[in-house]
Amino acid sequence: MEPSPPPRSAARSDPPHKGEGKKRRRVLPGLPLSLGITLFYVGLIVVLPLGALVFKAASLGPEDYWRIVSSARAVASYRVTVLSALAATGFNLVFGLALAWVLVRYSFPGKRLVDAIVDLPFALPTAVAGIALTTLFAPNGWFGAILGEAGIKVAYAPLGIMVAMSFTSLPFIVRTVQPVLEDLDPTLEEAAQTLGGSDGSIFLRVILPLLMPALLAGLSLSFARSLGEFGAIIFIAGNQPMSTEITALLAFIRLEEYDYQAAAAIASVLLITAFLMLAFTNLLQARALRYTVRN
């Protein structure tokens, strides 16, 4: 018998693909051109207006700046704005998380319609939202008449400011949490169930830590949007100084009085607050991501 030929080596290299070794073609232009266009538009749309605001506020002396931003009316507007924004963000934390959970985990008639309505505050002009909310919650409105019988006043009261802020900032939490819920591995929950975990402990110890980075991002965006909301609030708030006047409205009033420096100073307080809030939230989000990756 003739000896059989030796087997072919399994380590034989495959023929090179067509075009291998050549520089991969990029869809977008090179880094210098793409970066230049991006920085140009960021500078034109974001940096330039913010720089003008800071420059106008800096034209005041330290004493004049402090006198404007620490006046009794300004401090009262800060208190109304921040407390209302915190209350609206807390409401959106509970309701937005529940709404995202229902949209991801359950199927029901009209689910697509509810999912589309979540984005309505993004498409609806804020002034139209304010008029609609005022119509509903006014003392003679559909909801306002019922709540008025129970002694609850919404329109032309601080509660109306919270309702308007909640309406305009709710989608930020839903849309940041929803995709993370959709991508969660169901085997994690199944493993926790096999270990005897209850529904509450599974949510707190397994699901919530994975949702925390997205939830923090949604909370920071919701809070920042509530701080700067204007159109949806002025119709339902009543705009009473020292009581229901928000900071954005006070800055607008100073603009109408042609006091541009005072308007810039008051607006700079909102700008600084939003930046600090976003920086603090990004720090918490980075720590949560490290914790999630480590575990």
Side-chain angles (χ1 to χ4, degrees), residues 97-260:
L97 180 59
L99 181 57
W101 183 276
V102 169
L103 290 176
V104 172
R105 295 299 180 95
Y106 300 99
S107 297
F108 53 90
K111 177 179 178 179
R112 292 187 178 181
L113 179 61
V114 174
D115 193 32
I117 291 177
V118 171
D119 294 326
L120 184 61
F122 287 152
L124 190 67
T126 55
V128 177
I131 295 173
L133 292 174
T134 306
T135 303
L136 291 174
F137 290 99
N140 57 349
W142 291 354
F143 299 155
I146 299 174
L147 295 174
E149 294 178 355
I152 301 175
K153 184 179 181 181
V154 178
Y156 318 123
L159 185 57
I161 301 176
M162 302 174 194
V163 170
M165 289 181 175
S166 300
F167 176 80
T168 55
S169 60
L170 176 65
F172 288 101
I173 293 182
V174 178
R175 292 313 185 203
T176 53
V177 173
Q178 187 175 358
V180 180
L181 273 175
E182 292 174 348
D183 293 337
L184 282 182
D185 189 359
T187 58
L188 298 176
E189 299 178 47
E190 296 173 357
Q193 289 177 349
T194 58
L195 295 175
S198 62
D199 293 340
S201 63
I202 291 174
F203 178 79
L204 292 176
R205 297 184 179 183
V206 178
I207 299 176
L208 189 59
L210 298 175
L211 295 179
M212 191 57 65
L215 196 58
L216 289 174
L219 287 174
S220 62
L221 293 174
S222 176
F223 183 76
R225 173 63 186 274
S226 298
L227 285 180
E229 183 56 43
F230 179 74
I233 296 176
I234 58 174
F235 292 98
I236 196 174
N239 307 324
Q240 300 175 7
M242 314 296 293
S243 177
T244 59
E245 184 180 55
I246 61 173
T247 306
L249 177 61
L250 182 58
F252 179 74
I253 291 174
R254 295 293 179 257
L255 282 176
E256 287 188 323
E257 297 172 349
Y258 301 101
D259 193 353
Y260 299 115

Side-chain angles (χ1 to χ4, degrees), residues 248-282:
L249 177 61
L250 182 58
F252 179 74
I253 291 174
R254 295 293 179 257
L255 282 176
E256 287 188 323
E257 297 172 349
Y258 301 101
D259 193 353
Y260 299 115
Q261 291 179 327
I266 294 171
S268 67
V269 175
L270 286 179
L271 179 64
I272 294 171
T273 305
F275 271 133
L276 292 177
M277 178 64 188
L278 291 175
F280 178 70
T281 307
N282 287 334

Side-chain angles (χ1 to χ4, degrees), residues 42-113:
V42 169
L44 183 64
I45 298 174
V46 179
V47 178
L48 185 61
L50 295 182
L53 173 64
V54 173
F55 178 78
K56 197 66 177 179
S59 63
L60 291 167
E63 295 181 359
D64 292 334
Y65 180 84
W66 179 251
R67 175 179 54 82
I68 293 171
V69 301
S70 63
S71 64
R73 186 174 178 180
V75 172
S77 71
Y78 305 152
R79 183 177 62 253
V80 171
T81 303
V82 173
L83 293 179
S84 300
L86 287 174
T89 305
F91 172 80
N92 287 340
L93 170 63
V94 178
F95 184 73
L97 180 59
L99 181 57
W101 183 276
V102 169
L103 290 176
V104 172
R105 295 299 180 95
Y106 300 99
S107 297
F108 53 90
K111 177 179 178 179
R112 292 187 178 181
L113 179 61

